[in-house]
Amino acid sequence: MKQSPNDFKQYQPLTLDNGLRVLLVHNQESNKSAAALAVNVGHFSDPIDRQGLAHFLEHMLFLGTEKYPDGSEYQQFISQYGGTNNAWTATEHTCFFFDIHHLHFAEALDRFSQFFIAPLLSEEFVNKERKNIDAEFKLKLKDDIRRLYDVHKETINPAHPFAKFSVGNTETLCDKADRCLRDEVANFFTLHYVAKAMTLVIEGPQSIKELESLAIIYFSALSAKEIQDTLPEVPLYQPQHQKVSLQVKPVINDHQLIISFALPSIDQYYREKPESLISYLLGHEGPNSILSLLKSKHWALGLTAGAGVNGYNFKDFNISIRLTDIGEQHVDDIIDIVFAYISLLKQQPLPCHYYQEKKALAQLSFQYHEKMKPLDSVCQLVINMQHYPPEDYIFGDYAMDGCDPSIISQLLSKFTVENMRYVVVSQKVETNKVSRWYQVPYKVSAIPPEKIKRWQKIKKITSLALPPVNDYIDAKPSVHSANIDTSTQQTIPHCITEESGLTIWFKQDITFKIPKGYIYIGIDSQETLKSTKHIAMTRLFVDLYTDAVIEQHYDAELAGIHYHLYAHQGGLTLQLSGVSSKQDMLLTQLLTELQNFEFAENKFTLLKYQLINHWKNANNSKSISQLFSSLSAIMQPKAPSTEHLANALTQVSYAEFANFCQQIFQAISLEVLLHGNWRPQDARQIEAIIKQAFKQQYHQDNKVITESITIEGKGNISVPLHLPEHDYAAVLYYPMTERSLAMIAKTMITSQILSPLFFQIMRTEQQYGYLVGVGYVPINRYPGLAFYIQSPKYQADQLVAAMDEFINSCHNALEQMSEEDWQHLQHGLTSQLQENDTSLRIRSQRFWAAICNQEKDFKQKQRLIDCILALSKDDISNFILESLTNLNTVQDRFELMSIKHPKQGSTKAATQVNNKNLANFRQTCSIKV
């Protein structure tokens, strides 16, 4: 088995006597173990009169087994010992996975394996869980990705399994006169859940021999039957489904053009990956590309190429273009440009250097493979095992054996108008049909003959050309070794520069030993926060800057050097990441452009409109998402709501914005982190670049202190959101008044205790909704606890009452917990915090978060662990009684509700907050920093 020289795990493939393919992974660097099991069955195998059955079975397997009949026991066991678990159902595969502290892995595997050996599939949970499936279906009714899929399924060959409804609902999963759902789901399990259709990965610090023993003990009892089911060899499209245009009306105000070419399955080419070369060229964003020409005409904002549905006998190659309003009026002209570029690709064999560039990057990624968490690792490998032979379980995703011009030519021959369909997504399109499941308005039309002829004989466009050689690619970057004894090398960043308004932290990586690095430059500017209008202009600045530099630096992005400018509460952050060797060159250019880039008024107008439209589309988000957004806007004066941002930006003129851009960097404060494959002298060079770019514009007086409000003494504050087209939802949020580590520890462990119990009662037993939870939600570093439910049928005040009932009684569950279980729960949470950083990226993010939170000794995590371990069960019981329950006193909290009628909502709240009185409410609150 080929593995990266930077991968120090041990791997051992194994096939059990029942046919189960297993991969054992010894990982001595983790204190967690993880497992994933994939079965080669998905919604393609649903009976035509039981659509959604595979998905329903996935849910049912969590709800009790003959050995462990309690439907909540598995979830509670995993959570108690610091683990997580989940599952998903796709077209041809279903995957289950979990992780847990390694000392409890065997017990967890015992419970997990029983899913696939002897599930209960009890009648009681069949009746309850189909309601959860229905709630999950309704939760996504306004999801435009799901809606586009629904139209796609209705406009293909109805005999192909892709046409089936994948999720299921109470209609497709109802009991019928001659048969019941419980029997059918049991038969589906018996038929499809056989060892020969399954793959299993188990990873942990246990030895290979121990892991092998666990696999044999717990998974040998899986069914050894032969695989019975095969998918039909019918085409995805019949002739009448091609040469068509579709008009689809979305929920959000979006404009897209999706040009799709039907290919056969390309799985057999995984070692060559010819389609990646075509994607590389059609999706290029540099000069003379399709996107470059479209942007010059203000017809498009973005383009991706290559993605599309794929399966056992089909592959859609999509060219997806984000249109402007003007671009929507030029769809035919845009398709002209696409076919003109395709003709460039077909004219002659493509130069091999494009493939070699892709191969060099793939080899670089493999050679310096970044470590993953065990859970992420097993989830990736278990699906690879379904597609690749054992020797390529790891390497298959990176293999690029060579560029065969005949295969490229064969694929490009499919890029014709006869083999095309295109979709226009816009709220302006005319429609004459409505899809069955998601109620999507759409229209299908044959492409007129004159357009077919036009695209068959497309003319050359001189402004289109293939890209030049990419000089940014460094095929053999070096990894710098430390010049001092590694036993004394600092394990945390140290401050190499501390001046008024400029602090630079540096840490040379000696752990991961990869040729990569991360640069974070936090730029505080009071100018960006003067008003809601200034905050909105800052967001627009980010969009205009990103648009202005993307074409010039696209080669760097392709070569694995990434950059990202984003707004934070005090100003802007510029982040660079990836291959370290040429980051200094890119940083010099990016910082120069940051203060000097130019933009035309029509580009300003275009991106201003797009940003306002984006903010307005937030009104179509899930109701629970809108409630949490409102909470953030209320608690943080410098984080306005999307409605306020959109209104403010509407009033901004080109001249006003141009003047704002001149002011942003005049008075700033800088905080910088350099972490990765750099030596001290490299760090000094980067320091010089930053100083040269900003000269004497920085000073400590320009540092921004973020603020949030405190509601201490204000009791229950009601925040109703009138969302007549959305599900009901409610969030109860308890903000803590202090941010001591002791308070953070209490809040975190309370969330850990209550989360599985809340899920079991509110979703599995009471069926209030699909989206339910308890979460630790800090705002501006102050801890907080949120309880939430989104429901398609229970009104918000009913949800609040149910959550209050839970909160007022949940201390009983804690009292019933044994001391042993309490200690396991404590250690489960601390084990999550103690998990080693698995990659340079994760460690850099942790360092940067500590710097932003003013944790300059980088020891807060250990202090938090100590605080958690010092807590007693009584401490948490008292915390719940004193800070959450309202049995004896009214707690300070926010009660956010999604309501369908203005008169709905809480009547108990002392204060009600909405957009109209938000400013007045804030004036009554104290500010905390």
Side-chain angles (χ1 to χ4, degrees), residues 52 57 90 165 261 276 337 399 457 516 527 548 551 569 599 615 638 647 655 659 700 704 726 730 794 873 885 893 914:
L57 174 58
F165 172 43
F261 298 97
S276 69
I337 291 170
K457 299 180 179 180
K516 294 183 180 182
E527 185 71 21
E551 186 172 306
Q569 279 206 45
F599 52 91
W615 283 329
K638 301 303 183 183
N647 291 339
N659 181 63
Q700 63 189 19
V704 173
H726 289 71
Y794 291 99
K873 201 170 64 159
T885 64
R893 73 178 189 184
N914 54 46

Side-chain angles (χ1 to χ4, degrees), residues 4-69:
S4 167
N6 205 45
D7 181 358
F8 302 107
K9 299 176 187 176
Q10 290 178 282
Y11 298 86
Q12 180 63 56
L14 169 73
T15 301
L16 300 188
D17 292 342
N18 56 14
L20 178 68
R21 289 163 287 162
V22 181
L23 182 61
L24 313 170
V25 186
H26 168 61
N27 178 357
Q28 65 183 13
E29 297 178 350
S30 177
N31 64 8
K32 276 194 169 181
S33 295
L37 184 143
V39 56
N40 188 192
V41 65
H43 85 79
F44 277 9
S45 298
D46 288 342
I48 195 65
D49 60 347
R50 277 297 187 204
Q51 296 180 57
L53 192 61
H55 180 216
F56 182 69
L57 174 58
E58 173 226 306
H59 279 235
M60 287 298 302
L61 294 185
F62 283 87
L63 299 175
T65 62
E66 290 179 9
K67 187 171 183 179
Y68 299 99

